[in-house]
Amino acid sequence: MAKIAILGFGTVGSGVYEVLCRNAAGVSRRAGEPVEVKYILDPKDFSGHPAADLFIKNFDTILEDPEIKVVVETIGGTRFAYPYVKACLESGRSVCTSNKEMVATYGAELLGLAKAHDCAFLFEASVGGGTPIITPMHQCLAANVISEVEGIVNGTTNFIMDAMARQGADFPAVLQRAQELGYAEADPSADIDGDDIRRKLTISANIAFDALLREEDIPAFGIRTVTGADVADFRAHGFTCKLLACAQRTETGVAAYVEPALVAEGEPEAAVPGNYNLISCTGELLGRQSYFGQGAGRYPTAANVVQDCLDLLTGEDGFYTETARPMAVEADAVAHPYYVRTRTAD
Ligand code: HSE
């Protein structure tokens, strides 16, 4: 019997618990033994929950229990998640997480700690939600030099832009729906203003380019200023507006940005619906390779976390590179055409 702990019982953490219970037979088959959630750490009151006995409030209970070899972190943010994950790795416990803020900021350090303490740190769900991107992209590196990573990596904003374009929907109403569906961050401005995307771009570009980019060096512009009238005008000209993330290798560093962009109808990105993501990487031998799937939502994201958890239980080492190095982010290295809409009297 493998015993695990879940840190944080929000949208993703509760989804992980449900998936492990609901698919217990398949999970045990894949893990080679039954998998039991022994603890769920969350400060809120879950006394009425059917699994009320599992809830704990003291993190040390997990650290003091030698039965716990794998920990799932779904708290989000860095205030609690980072010290808890660090302590788990330092005690030799493997960790998987969906926490992009923590991975974008401390990923290299946490991978180094896992390596030093003979355990593993996996974070597939931190980019692409339910779409496996990190593992296949990392595998591409064996035979390729990746020159570009780009695409749609935020389910909430794609859901909003898609509903505005296809249904003429109103921004606040669609945002509320995205929140109800569990796509949006606790503070949805992280989605709308591009911060969530910038984190995911930092994580993907760091893997693709073996780099140590800093999230704050990447310029990000969100969708707050895109109006229904703009969207209708784009459509009339054969374009769809998508919030894109892009990182390209340059001669001297990396050109990276997050911004709303016009995509010609017929391009793959223009057709990405609802909460879906589409992220592509370009390699010298590979050409362009794309990954498409649900980028947000409780169950798609939980499924990727559970997959990581199973990989850890079956001995996956994760990856770590000692050669990752800081690279300059050149915000202006790529020329961008701009769209300007004006109304004139004549
Ligand atoms: N708020 C994020 C999104 C969740 O909408 O993509 C998944 O990372």
Side-chain angles (χ1 to χ4, degrees), residues 191-247:
D191 297 295
I192 292 160
D193 296 323
D195 298 337
D196 174 84
I197 305 174
R198 187 160 73 152
R199 288 176 186 137
K200 292 165 177 168
L201 184 63
T202 305
I203 298 168
S204 328
N206 279 344
I207 292 168
F209 305 147
D210 197 19
L212 296 170
L213 303 183
R214 295 183 318 167
E215 172 194 335
E216 59 270 28
D217 292 339
I218 300 177
F221 198 90
I223 58 167
R224 258 181 218 280
T225 54
V226 181
T227 65
D230 289 328
V231 170
D233 200 43
F234 302 151
R235 274 178 80 82
H237 290 88
F239 290 102
T240 301
C241 184
K242 295 290 185 184
L243 186 51
L244 295 186
C246 182

Side-chain angles (χ1 to χ4, degrees), residues 12 98 100 125-130 153-159 178 182-188 190-191 196-197 200 275-277 294-297 301:
V12 180
S98 56
K100 49 249 160 167
S126 66
V127 182
V153 287
N154 184 271
T156 302
T157 48
N158 197 68
F159 182 79
Y183 301 160
E185 295 303 298
D187 175 1
D191 297 295
D196 174 84
I197 305 174
K200 292 165 177 168
N275 66 330
Y276 279 73
N277 284 188
Q294 291 193 65
T301 310

